[in-house]
Amino acid sequence: MSEDFYILLIQKQLSGNITPDENDQLKAWLSNSESNQKVYDDLLLAWDHLPIEKIESETDKEWQKLDAKIQKKNNTRTIRMAPILGIAASLLLLVSAFIWINNDKGVSVIAPQDGYVSTLPDGTSITLKKGSELAYSDDFNTNRTVQITGEALLNVTHNPERPFQVVGADITVTVLGTEFIFADGEKDNRANVQLIDGKVSVLSNSSKANYTLLPQEQYLLTPDTEKKVSSIKLKDYSWYQPNYEFDDVALSKVLDLISKYEGIKVTATEINSCRFTGNLTGMNLTQIVANISALYNADTKDGEGAYVIIGGDCQ
Amino acid sequence: MGAGEEPLTFQKSKSENPHDLAERKELTEYIRAAINDLPERCRLIFTLCKEEGLSHKEVAEKLDISTKTIENQITKAMKSLRAAVTRYQSLDMWAWGIFIFELLERIKI
């Protein structure tokens, strides 16, 4: 496959439209050579620096005007340089390249819309609420630390040798590899971490108290209190829309995933091994359970913060 | 818990630093110029994919052209973005080069 093919895959990945197969293909290509990785890094940097405001689409007339202007500008762009100066400059280029490599610019991005996904060099994906800010330095590969102001869902690539740290205004979260919601910095002295999967440690920047969270637990900081709660409520973060699109997946797995994201246990008695294909994205939990029950001719029992799908068959 | 009693010790993120903010803005300017330099159709297709988050197939249906055309145009746009980043990076290196050159010149005199 040509480089163009992978450039297209990178665009699909950055815009969140990549399929798992394509993602594997891209990963394999990236690990092939450093120059492939450089292509990805450059495009990621460009993507993170796209102008935030809408790119206006001009009418033909305006476009022609702009085109003429650009051509004019291009004509005056020729640079001539005395050869000796060129040689001297080339030598200096080497020196400056060294300095440039050591010059940490970092990456900083403010989410232009809800659900904006930023993929870090280690494969970690961060979904941001509109207006939330993410920043990390150029040495991210050796020091996995990001700063977040606002709300985000993080899906951290597992690496036991290099813990991943999220620094916020009020709290610091340390993880190995996991998925969780992070919210800090929108209002003073208020923060929230909701753990979907894995294990994280939350450190309060002011009280220095340390909390370890397990799946389905959350850490809550308000001006009056700081505590661990043994349930999660991802619904509070309506900007984040979990993807519930399934293609021939065992229903037990579908229900596990939905339970994880909705914070409410959904189980089935009979139809766990049935295969499920369909898209439940955007529905609320009641609708999801009703749809699944109807599909398999099952009944639903709802109570005490849990749903049970009873009976039904795979036909 | 006295979370509110102590002043915040958190250093605001990098972008708060005026120097970094300027650099970020500068790269964004390069990217903006690269997007503006794209042919109208290519720009429209890229914009639909980027801002409306549409898949290639959805854009193809919306504009009633083939997915292959969409993919070609997107590849073209992505290559322009990459060229903008490369230009930005090399210019940054030139700036350092010229700075050192001038410094050496002065030391010699």
Side-chain angles (χ1 to χ4, degrees):
Chain A
M1 290 290 179
S2 70
E3 185 175 285
D4 283 8
F5 172 78
Y6 293 100
I7 287 178
L8 197 66
L9 286 191
I10 293 171
Q11 188 272 334
K12 283 184 172 181
Q13 199 232 41
L14 293 174
S15 60
N17 286 318
I18 197 164
T19 66
D21 279 353
E22 289 173 330
N23 204 21
D24 290 346
Q25 259 180 302
L26 179 60
K27 269 190 185 164
W29 183 72
L30 291 181
S31 59
N32 262 351
S33 76
E34 274 185 24
S35 66
N36 292 354
Q37 184 64 46
K38 175 87 171 74
V39 174
Y40 181 84
D41 291 346
D42 285 352
L43 288 173
L44 174 66
L45 193 63
W47 197 262
D48 281 343
H49 284 78
L50 284 173
I52 288 167
E53 77 278 3
K54 282 214 173 250
I55 306 158
E56 295 294 335
S57 186
E58 271 105 338
T59 62
D60 281 348
K61 213 172 175 187
E62 278 173 313
W63 171 247
Q64 280 163 6
K65 245 194 255 169
L66 191 67
D67 206 20
K69 239 194 244 172
I70 289 166
Q71 267 174 15
K72 221 173 168 187
K73 221 166 135 193
N74 281 343
N75 291 339
T76 58
R77 230 186 252 164
T78 331
I79 300 166
R80 283 172 203 281
M81 205 185 263
I84 193 145
L85 188 65
I87 295 162
S90 304
L91 284 170
L92 285 162
L93 202 64
L94 290 171
V95 181
S96 60
F98 176 76
I99 293 167
W100 176 73
I101 286 163
N102 289 301
N103 178 16
D104 190 339
K105 272 204 257 302
V107 173
S108 173
V109 53
I110 295 172
Q113 78 252 339
D114 277 349
Y116 177 84
V117 181
S118 187
T119 308
L120 307 186
D122 68 342
T124 292
S125 96
I126 301 186
T127 309
L128 294 157
K129 182 188 178 186
K130 184 178 179 175
S132 293
E133 186 174 357
L134 163 74
Y136 54 92
S137 65
D138 283 344
D139 67 355
F140 176 82
N141 281 327
T142 50
N143 163 29
R144 295 205 298 165
T145 298
V146 299
Q147 293 171 339
I148 292 178
T149 309
E151 295 177 2
L153 175 107
L154 293 95
N155 197 333
V156 178
T157 303
H158 187 73
N159 185 346
E161 280 157 28
R162 297 214 169 88
F164 188 98
Q165 244 186 6
V166 190
V167 181
D170 303 299
I171 54 170
T172 301
V173 180
T174 308
V175 304
L176 294 178
T178 172
E179 193 176 9
F180 62 102
I181 285 269
F182 175 94
D184 188 14
E186 291 211 314
K187 285 184 189 145
D188 279 353
N189 304 318
R190 275 178 198 280
N192 182 210
V193 176
Q194 302 205 11
L195 184 59
I196 299 165
D197 210 1
K199 189 174 170 183
V200 304
S201 134
V202 183
L203 175 75
S204 160
N205 294 346
S206 52
S207 75
K208 301 291 172 207
N210 209 335
Y211 295 82
T212 301
L213 300 186
L214 294 173
Q216 309 297 309
E217 286 184 340
Q218 64 169 306
Y219 163 89
L220 193 65
L221 172 74
T222 66
D224 318 310
T225 170
E226 182 181 21
K227 63 181 173 185
K228 189 161 97 171
V229 184
S230 62
S231 66
I232 61 171
K233 236 176 114 191
L234 295 176
K235 263 182 283 176
D236 293 349
Y237 300 95
S238 56
W239 53 267
Y240 173 67
Q241 181 106 149
N243 181 16
Y244 291 151
E245 196 175 347
F246 303 96
D247 184 14
D248 195 28
V249 180
L251 194 72
S252 57
K253 284 204 170 164
V254 172
L255 296 181
D256 279 351
L257 187 107
I258 291 171
S259 304
K260 204 170 78 171
Y261 281 101
E262 301 294 327
I264 291 176
K265 195 89 190 134
V266 186
T267 48
T269 54
E270 306 292 327
I271 52 173
N272 279 310
S273 57
C274 297
R275 310 299 290 183
F276 179 81
T277 299
N279 193 351
L280 304 164
T281 308
M283 293 181 195
N284 66 35
L285 188 56
T286 317
Q287 290 168 329
I288 290 173
V289 173
N291 269 291
I292 293 176
S293 299
L295 187 66
Y296 296 103
N297 287 318
D299 293 319
T300 309
K301 200 179 126 205
D302 163 17
E304 291 172 24
Y307 285 94
V308 185
I309 300 172
I310 301 164
D313 54 63
C314 295
Q315 295 309 305
Chain B
M1 198 80 48
E5 287 156 23
E6 282 180 46
L8 296 179
T9 51
F10 175 66
Q11 296 293 308
K12 277 278 183 183
S13 64
K14 283 175 119 347
S15 64
E16 300 291 321
N17 176 328
H19 176 69
D20 287 338
L21 190 68
E23 278 188 338
R24 188 174 104 201
K25 204 177 154 200
E26 209 184 308
L27 176 55
T28 305
E29 289 311 315
Y30 272 80
I31 306 280
R32 193 197 309 277
I35 293 170
N36 284 338
D37 279 0
L38 294 173
E40 173 73 350
R41 190 161 82 134
C42 182
R43 190 154 49 111
L44 173 71
I45 290 169
F46 178 74
T47 308
L48 283 172
C49 284
K50 172 70 188 83
E51 272 156 18
E52 304 195 9
L54 300 179
S55 69
H56 299 160
K57 203 174 150 218
E58 288 166 330
V59 177
E61 281 163 9
K62 192 167 177 168
L63 300 179
D64 198 22
I65 42 182
S66 73
T67 312
K68 193 78 213 144
T69 308
I70 301 292
E71 290 180 348
N72 288 340
Q73 297 296 322
I74 290 291
T75 308
K76 190 172 170 180
M78 290 301 277
K79 282 172 141 176
S80 294
L81 293 188
R82 186 171 182 227
V85 170
T86 312
R87 267 204 305 280
Y88 169 74
Q89 289 172 340
S90 61
L91 216 92
D92 205 52
M93 273 164 60
W94 273 110
W96 273 104
I98 290 163
F99 171 73
I100 292 168
F101 182 72
E102 284 179 355
L103 207 71
L104 290 178
E105 281 288 284
R106 275 187 205 177
I107 291 165
K108 212 162 64 186
I109 293 162

